Amino acid sequence: MNNALFIYNTLTKEKTLFEPINHPYVGMYVCGPTVYGDAHLGNARPAVVFDVVYRYLKYLGYKVRYVRNITDVGHLENDSDDGEDKVGKKAKLEKLEPMEVVQLYTDAYHQVMQKLNVLMPSIEPHASAHITEQIQMIEEIIRNGYAYESNGSVYFDVKKYSEHHPYGELSGRIPEELYSGTRELDGQHEKKNSADFALWKKASPEHIMRWPSPWSMGFPGWHLECSAMSAKYLGNTFDIHGGGMDLMFPHHESEIAQSKACHGHAPAKYWMHNNMITINGQKMAKSLGNFITLHQLFTGNNSLLDRAYSPMTVRFFMLQAHYRGTLDFSNDALLSAQKAYKRLMNGLKIIKSLTYPENHIPKDDKLNDEIRNSINDCFNSLNDDFNTAACIAALFNLLKKINAIHSSQIRIESIDPAVFEQMKKSFIDIIENILGLYEEKNTRTEVFINALLDLYREAKILKQYDKVDKIRAIFKAEGLVIKDMKNGIDWAYDEN
Ligand code: ZN
């Protein structure tokens, strides 16, 4: 198989051959969720996108250490400088310990991620558990002359930094623009320049989550946790840093600046950013009233939803678009994703049941070429910056052949045995191991049990004892027994 993986690097704006720093080891860091509320549609896309990146790198044979953090220090804001204590606020509101809030929403996040079949990262560090590392990093940045203390807070000196390094290299935003910004930032009087961002913030009296530091009782700036934790677990320079496009500025731009100011070089070789999800063409925001949580999506419990959508439908919907393209959520789009997902699952069921027959007939060269080309298209698409959209299109070309075999339009024997095995293996591997899709079985077992019991009752009345025995055997095979009692028929778990 062709292992030449090309990745679009947001930093260099180029698609280049992926070459890990320390082959075959790959270090990957992705900005994880904030945990003071339910995971929503916007959380699902980076999780699914980077899950496929993780899965595919492993499939290619790399030893991947995947770090995805939990932002639980409670200050995540668009302007990171003086973020309100979101975890603390929620804790007060619900009369919980801040760490109870963190646990509650971390567990809830894990549950929905599991439903989406998103693998757990290798390490999932909490920002609140790495305060020491963050303080050490601030001290080093101060020593190197790129940060200053002001009134118990510490700020990164963007102007000083940009004298030596190109601040804005990732996002294209340049400091001059920032200096002329007219936004009134709270605490701005403490800063030398409006572009400076907080590395440490002195806690206001109502800020619950706070830690001692050389400068004040306070909390670290939002950008710092990712710099400190990625360096701790992946080293000062690692392979891939990922996240949503909305994090490019100021979050990732500041991460680059912090790492360069601390270690003298950039943190990551490749930067990858997934595009955003819109809802019926609009940006998703609580203020716009179009906010959908993943739980609502899976239950249909939101006025924007015509029906519930299964986790695999949602996952498939996301993979049908390339990660750098926008993705618009609508009921129609989800419904067509559901249909396509089910077609693919039917194909998966068919191919798993197919075996190569013994008899020999002449091979169909054209057919063999078509199958080989479709398999190559699948992998070439994945190697082209993880283009899952093109990969799925190629899978559907293979599906046509599988369905044709199933309906006897194609005889398996006309396919070369090696090509057939390659098709079977690739189709299953790509769907299950790389795209992470699985067959969602109907879990409404009770409905089927009761229907069978009705048939059992009828068969007894009609004295059709062969049917009675057959149904009993089906139950037994499933670890269940039918109970014939005076007052009727019931079932139980087989205790033998
Ligand atoms: Zn981050």
Side-chain angles (χ1 to χ4, degrees):
M1 196 179 72
N2 178 12
N3 261 16
L5 169 65
F6 283 76
I7 296 181
Y8 180 83
N9 190 345
T10 329
L11 185 64
T12 60
K13 318 276 183 283
E14 273 176 344
K15 219 186 268 180
T16 50
L17 181 69
F18 177 63
E19 291 171 303
I21 297 163
N22 186 21
H23 185 94
Y25 300 95
V26 172
M28 174 162 102
Y29 187 94
V30 174
C31 295
T34 58
V35 283
Y36 58 82
D38 289 319
H40 52 80
L41 196 52
N43 293 123
R45 196 170 189 197
V48 168
V49 161
F50 290 102
D51 184 54
V52 171
V53 171
Y54 180 39
R55 285 167 179 270
Y56 191 52
L57 289 171
K58 289 204 295 181
Y59 183 83
L60 292 178
Y62 293 115
K63 308 256 176 279
V64 189
R65 183 180 296 163
Y66 175 20
V67 181
R68 189 186 65 203
N69 67 303
I70 295 281
T71 293
D72 63 349
V73 173
H75 48 67
L76 182 64
E77 280 289 85
N78 290 333
D79 276 304
S80 56
D81 280 0
D82 202 28
E84 133 186 78
D85 183 356
K86 296 250 181 181
V87 171
K89 193 176 162 192
K90 190 88 181 177
K92 264 184 214 160
L93 206 71
E94 306 202 347
K95 294 198 167 41
L96 298 170
E97 263 298 305
M99 273 301 147
E100 263 182 301
V101 172
V102 168
Q103 191 71 51
L104 190 71
Y105 289 108
T106 303
D107 290 351
Y109 179 77
H110 287 162
Q111 273 171 22
V112 290
M113 286 304 127
Q114 200 182 8
K115 283 186 181 164
L116 285 169
N117 203 22
V118 168
L119 298 174
M120 280 295 280
S122 330
I123 304 175
E124 193 177 47
H126 285 236
S128 64
H130 296 77
I131 301 295
T132 314
E133 288 84 350
Q134 297 180 68
I135 289 172
Q136 282 167 351
M137 197 162 180
I138 297 170
E139 287 174 326
E140 186 64 26
I141 296 172
I142 293 175
R143 265 198 294 278
N144 293 342
Y146 292 111
Y148 56 91
E149 190 199 339
S150 171
N151 193 26
S153 294
V154 180
Y155 292 97
F156 189 89
D157 192 338
V158 173
K159 197 170 187 180
K160 178 78 190 294
Y161 173 80
S162 61
E163 286 167 13
H164 307 277
H165 304 280
Y167 187 80
E169 59 184 319
L170 180 69
S171 61
R173 297 218 204 175
I174 53 167
E176 279 72 17
E177 285 175 348
L178 300 168
Y179 293 148
S180 61
T182 50
R183 276 174 309 168
E184 280 297 319
L185 296 173
D186 190 24
Q188 183 147 328
H189 59 282
E190 293 178 352
K191 300 199 279 185
K192 287 187 192 168
N193 288 293
S194 65
D196 295 352
F197 55 89
L199 297 175
W200 188 266
K201 194 78 188 158
K202 183 179 168 181
S204 57
E206 62 276 9
H207 206 106
I208 302 176
M209 297 190 82
R210 49 170 70 200
W211 292 265
S213 78
W215 315 286
S216 63
M217 278 297 281
F219 55 95
W222 165 37
H223 316 308
L224 195 64
E225 62 180 87
C226 293
S227 292
M229 295 190 292
S230 61
K232 173 163 178 152
Y233 297 110
L234 300 172
N236 294 346
T237 305
F238 52 93
D239 297 294
I240 299 172
H241 192 313
M245 231 165 69
D246 53 337
L247 295 180
M248 271 171 88
F249 189 89
H251 188 52
H252 292 159
E253 198 72 75
S254 305
E255 272 189 51
I256 293 175
Q258 288 164 165
S259 292
K260 283 191 173 178
C262 182
H263 313 299
H265 46 80
K269 195 172 165 188
Y270 298 86
W271 284 83
M272 291 179 67
H273 290 94
N274 66 274
N275 212 319
M276 301 288 103
I277 288 190
T278 53
I279 296 190
N280 300 313
Q282 258 193 332
K283 195 181 161 195
M284 185 173 84
K286 274 197 174 120
S287 56
L288 294 173
N290 64 356
F291 196 81
I292 303 176
T293 70
L294 289 171
H295 184 70
Q296 290 167 347
L297 205 53
F298 301 156
T299 56
N301 186 22
N302 182 309
S303 59
L304 289 167
L305 301 170
D306 290 349
R307 57 179 70 73
Y309 300 100
S310 78
M312 283 300 104
T313 298
V314 175
R315 184 170 175 117
F316 183 82
F317 165 69
M318 293 187 177
L319 297 179
Q320 266 185 317
H322 184 232
Y323 75 91
R324 285 193 285 118
T326 53
L327 180 60
D328 189 45
F329 173 94
S330 68
N331 282 290
D332 288 347
L334 258 286
L335 194 60
S336 67
Q338 183 182 301
K339 283 181 188 160
Y341 159 72
K342 286 186 176 169
R343 277 171 61 203
L344 207 56
M345 287 306 111
N346 282 333
L348 192 64
K349 248 172 69 187
I350 294 167
I351 200 153
K352 280 183 175 175
S353 70
L354 294 180
T355 48
Y356 201 83
E358 289 295 322
N359 35 333
H360 296 280
I361 61 163
K363 304 293 174 242
D364 180 339
D365 290 341
K366 186 170 165 274
L367 175 64
N368 279 295
D369 282 347
E370 284 171 357
I371 293 174
R372 260 193 229 103
N373 288 341
S374 292
I375 297 169
N376 286 339
D377 287 347
C378 287
F379 288 104
N380 289 340
S381 305
L382 291 169
N383 284 335
D384 181 16
D385 194 29
F386 307 94
N387 193 339
T388 54
C391 176
I392 288 171
L395 278 178
F396 273 91
N397 287 333
L398 283 179
L399 181 65
K400 280 183 202 148
K401 307 293 182 214
I402 294 165
N403 286 335
I405 294 170
H406 193 51
S407 61
S408 305
Q409 286 165 282
I410 292 178
R411 285 181 67 177
I412 299 184
E413 309 94 294
S414 65
I415 305 170
D416 189 83
V419 174
F420 173 77
E421 288 308 326
Q422 202 196 353
M423 170 169 81
K424 184 170 178 174
K425 188 180 177 335
S426 303
F427 197 80
I428 296 171
D429 267 350
I430 292 169
I431 291 175
E432 293 188 336
N433 300 332
I434 299 171
L435 299 180
L437 297 165
Y438 62 83
E439 189 190 337
E440 284 172 325
K441 297 231 166 68
N442 195 324
T443 50
R444 298 181 62 210
T445 350
E446 288 269 335
V447 174
F448 290 97
I449 289 178
N450 291 330
L452 268 177
L453 282 181
D454 280 346
L455 293 176
Y456 178 84
R457 228 172 262 121
E458 275 173 36
K460 275 195 86 170
I461 292 165
L462 298 171
K463 299 193 192 315
Q464 296 171 333
Y465 295 113
D466 52 333
K467 253 189 203 163
V468 166
D469 290 344
K470 220 175 180 174
I471 296 171
R472 280 193 163 276
I474 293 170
F475 273 68
K476 189 151 182 66
E478 293 300 315
L480 306 172
V481 282
I482 296 175
K483 299 268 187 194
D484 291 287
M485 295 172 301
K486 273 184 196 153
N487 54 354
I489 291 163
D490 200 3
W491 68 273
Y493 294 104
D494 192 353
E495 293 163 19
N496 298 313

